[in-house]
Amino acid sequence: MSSTITPLGIKADPRLSGRAVKRVAFDEGEIARRVTELGREISGAYPDGDLLVLGLLKGSFIFLSDLVRQITRPLQVDFLVASSYGEGTVSSGTVNLVYDPETELKGKDIILVEDIVDSGRTLNRLMAILKEREPRSLEICALLHKRIAEGLKYDAKFVGFDAPNEFLVGYGLDHAENFRHLPYIASLM
Ligand code: IMP
Ligand code: MG
């Protein structure tokens, strides 16, 4: 497992092309260990039923691909796309569904996989949409949770880490589409 990356190490990371990243919030090893635990938790929580792991693109793509490989029971994977942030670092508040999953949702045990819960607006909106499709159950699995959402109507049953209230990038999370490929999670400012 990789050790914590020092500030000097971040500066030297060629993936960043000289751009500033403040510090590593979660390194590769920590993430891998937590994702393994989450996989075990989820495997145990669904002894039967048709499990559908539904990833919210694009932010969840790396987390989801690591997570499903740690779930030791049958499952299906699909994705949906919502857009809300544009190029800023503050939520615009408008959540649009750009791509709707093709998989039948009715009667399935659905886990909605999200990269990070910030204001909670995205989840409030998407959970309402998904509930109308009559799944057998509907839960949230978030890699990161800032725990600052006030109007959050749905609890995340599975959470990777409580996140600092900073803008985070890497392991799927972006800033203006950059930094998604970092194997660690870093704070940008
Ligand atoms: P919310 O609707 O405010 O909860 O925002 C959720 C979405 O905003 C996430 O799926 C992310 O795509 C994005 N987001 C929120 N906070 C961050 C962050 O710190 N870094 C990168 N993206 C973020
Ligand atoms: Mg984003």
Side-chain angles (χ1 to χ4, degrees):
M1 289 295 160
S2 72
S3 57
T4 305
I5 299 156
T6 62
L8 189 68
I10 303 173
K11 256 187 206 151
D13 188 339
R15 298 177 188 92
L16 301 173
S17 67
R19 293 186 60 183
V21 159
K22 209 170 78 181
R23 67 181 182 94
V24 171
F26 304 99
D27 70 29
E28 265 186 272
E30 279 177 280
I31 296 169
R33 282 189 293 278
R34 188 66 192 118
V35 170
T36 301
E37 285 172 7
L38 281 173
R40 206 175 296 140
E41 257 181 68
I42 290 170
S43 305
Y46 296 89
D48 56 24
D50 297 326
L51 184 61
L52 174 65
V53 179
L54 197 52
L56 180 53
L57 289 176
K58 301 174 208 171
S60 73
F61 84 110
I62 293 180
F63 173 44
L64 182 140
S65 67
D66 283 345
L67 180 66
V68 292
R69 284 177 286 176
Q70 301 300 329
I71 300 176
T72 52
R73 54 107 63 221
L75 60 77
Q76 295 180 333
V77 173
D78 208 335
F79 294 96
L80 42 80
V81 182
S83 70
S84 69
Y85 268 49
E87 299 219 333
T89 58
V90 179
S91 178
S92 65
T94 330
V95 178
N96 298 309
L97 200 56
V98 179
Y99 170 80
D100 208 337
E102 285 169 2
T103 314
E104 172 76 47
L105 305 187
K106 191 170 177 176
K108 299 256 169 77
D109 289 309
I110 298 178
I111 302 177
L112 179 60
V113 180
E114 163 79 304
D115 53 358
I116 185 163
V117 183
D118 185 0
S119 74
R121 283 194 196 97
T122 308
L123 282 180
N124 280 346
R125 178 88 185 96
L126 291 179
M127 290 292 279
I129 293 170
L130 293 174
K131 279 203 156 179
E132 285 173 11
R133 313 282 172 87
E134 299 175 50
R136 183 169 93 151
S137 68
L138 179 59
E139 298 292 351
I140 296 161
C141 176
L143 171 65
L144 298 159
H145 202 311
K146 287 191 182 168
R147 308 281 182 200
I148 54 166
E150 282 171 8
L152 195 58
K153 294 185 197 134
Y154 307 91
D155 238 18
K157 180 167 177 152
F158 309 100
V159 175
F161 303 100
D162 284 355
N165 190 12
E166 298 168 34
F167 198 82
L168 301 171
V169 295
Y171 198 69
L173 289 95
D174 75 305
H175 176 247
E177 295 305 327
N178 295 305
F179 308 113
R180 291 196 196 274
H181 65 316
L182 304 181
Y184 48 85
I185 297 165
S187 101
L188 196 59
M189 53 197 74

